[in-house]
Amino acid sequence: MNTDTSPRPRMTRQRREILDALDTRDFRSAQSWHEHLRADGSTVGLATVYRALQALADTGDVDAVVSESGETLYRRCEAGEEHHHHLRCRSCGKAVEIDVPEFEDFAHRIGDAHGYGDIRHTIELTGICPECAAAGRG
Amino acid sequence: MNTDTSPRPRMTRQRREILDALDTRDFRSAQSWHEHLRADGSTVGLATVYRALQALADTGDVDAVVSESGETLYRRCEAGEEHHHHLRCRSCGKAVEIDVPEFEDFAHRIGDAHGYGDIRHTIELTGICPECAAAGRG
DNA sequence: CCTGATTTTGACAATCATTCTCAACAAGTT
DNA sequence: AACTTGTTGAGAATGATTGTCAAAATCAGG
């Protein structure tokens, strides 16, 4: 049996541009990535950016986190990485990946203790990065 | 100088009803609390529910978390409690408060290590509660 | 209890992020 | 080139949330 139901996407100009933009590895909303692309001369449409980011999030090629304001932020993740978390700058979006191995176990122990199954967890660390602090932002 | 810029809110029928409803201590969206109230015979308006929940979140009387879908969920918190996290059921919203003392320190150590200041953190644990699992939901 | 100053309410419009629609278009195949 | 089918983009539609503003209610004070 074939479990691969989805054909690989076609490599269009738009997809290439989006993939390129993601190389900066910042956390940005779809709208912000779109502006970024247009500022660089791309003519890509907003809906296309949304679609591409969602598709990439589905395949695990980008991380998606929901900010306090309810916007979804996207960032390309390291190839092949499994589960990880981030320390993100609230001012400029720059992020570093962090590892919280202790927590993976902890989450399951807590779940078990309360009888909850299919445990998922989100850890979001935010702060103001050195550059932004120096610039007086945030 | 007087730093208390906000007079205590007036106790209106609507506010009383909302406060009462919050006693169930579930995590629900503003819209869901509104439906809940109307179902109980209240005539409170949606905007009023939003305003009340926001005000309560500002004073720390309710917790607000943003779900994966981008909705903000509200829940009354234990009086006087400071900072805490939740294990929430993805199916019915029932939640238990959990304590992660180790993490408070950890968060600051990570922040320092990367030069990030004004560190804030969010930990969200979700799962399927025993009742929902038994009922085949989720 | 009556009155007035000030808050609060609620119906509805406005905003914001995101998703949907669908005809025009481009990728990859033969 | 011709075809099949996935992709695009403009704009409409949706859904959550916030803003607007006149009418109603609260909490003084007399």
Side-chain angles (χ1 to χ4, degrees):
Chain A
M1 99 175 146
N2 183 1
T3 56
D4 183 7
T5 58
S6 47
R8 37 214 129 321
R10 293 181 184 173
M11 186 52 64
T12 61
R13 170 177 57 79
Q14 292 83 335
R15 188 173 294 269
R16 239 189 317 272
E17 291 173 349
I18 291 168
L19 255 6
D20 274 2
L22 284 166
D23 279 342
T24 65
R25 310 208 66 228
D26 290 326
F27 264 113
R28 298 176 115 85
S29 65
Q31 313 233 25
S32 173
W33 282 118
H34 180 240
E35 286 172 31
H36 199 270
L37 284 158
R38 305 288 278 218
D40 269 14
S42 171
T43 61
V44 69
L46 180 56
T48 300
V49 175
Y50 270 103
R51 281 184 290 238
L53 290 172
Q54 278 170 181
L56 290 166
D58 284 347
T59 59
D61 294 317
V62 307
D63 285 326
V65 306
V66 180
S67 75
E68 300 172 43
S69 70
E71 279 182 315
T72 304
L73 307 177
Y74 300 89
R75 179 206 209 220
R76 165 110 149 248
C77 44
E78 219 61 86
E81 281 207 34
E82 194 50 40
H83 184 74
H84 53 260
H85 303 284
H86 300 97
L87 167 57
R88 174 166 51 83
C89 176
R90 279 194 299 278
S91 177
C92 70
K94 189 151 59 69
V96 295
E97 282 174 12
I98 60 176
D99 220 23
V100 197
E102 309 95 300
F103 199 78
E104 313 291 321
D105 288 339
F106 185 80
H108 282 88
R109 266 186 285 125
I110 295 269
D112 289 347
H114 293 278
Y116 280 53
D118 192 10
I119 299 295
R120 290 181 211 165
H121 66 274
T122 303
I123 300 181
E124 264 297 294
L125 236 51
T126 63
I128 303 299
C129 76
E131 288 75 29
C132 287
R137 295 188 294 269
Chain B
M1 112 185 163
N2 183 1
T3 56
D4 182 9
T5 57
S6 48
R8 40 213 127 322
R10 292 180 182 173
M11 185 52 64
T12 62
R13 170 177 58 79
Q14 291 83 335
R15 188 173 293 272
R16 238 190 316 273
E17 290 173 350
I18 292 168
L19 255 5
D20 274 3
L22 284 166
D23 279 341
T24 63
R25 311 208 65 229
D26 290 326
F27 264 111
R28 298 177 117 83
S29 66
Q31 313 234 26
S32 172
W33 281 118
H34 180 238
E35 286 172 32
H36 199 269
L37 283 158
R38 305 288 279 221
D40 269 15
S42 171
T43 61
V44 70
L46 180 56
T48 301
V49 174
Y50 269 104
R51 282 184 290 238
L53 289 172
Q54 278 170 180
L56 290 167
D58 283 347
T59 60
D61 293 318
V62 308
D63 284 325
V65 305
V66 181
S67 75
E68 300 172 45
S69 70
E71 279 183 316
T72 304
L73 307 178
Y74 300 90
R75 181 210 210 217
R76 165 106 148 252
C77 47
E78 220 61 86
E81 280 207 36
E82 194 49 39
H83 184 75
H84 53 261
H85 304 283
H86 300 97
L87 168 57
R88 177 167 48 84
C89 177
R90 277 193 300 277
S91 176
C92 71
K94 189 151 58 69
V96 294
E97 283 174 13
I98 60 175
D99 220 21
V100 197
E102 309 95 301
F103 199 78
E104 313 291 322
D105 287 339
F106 185 80
H108 282 87
R109 265 185 286 123
I110 295 268
D112 290 346
H114 294 277
Y116 279 54
D118 193 8
I119 300 293
R120 290 182 210 167
H121 66 275
T122 303
I123 300 180
E124 265 296 294
L125 237 52
T126 63
I128 303 299
C129 75
E131 288 76 30
C132 287
R137 293 188 295 267

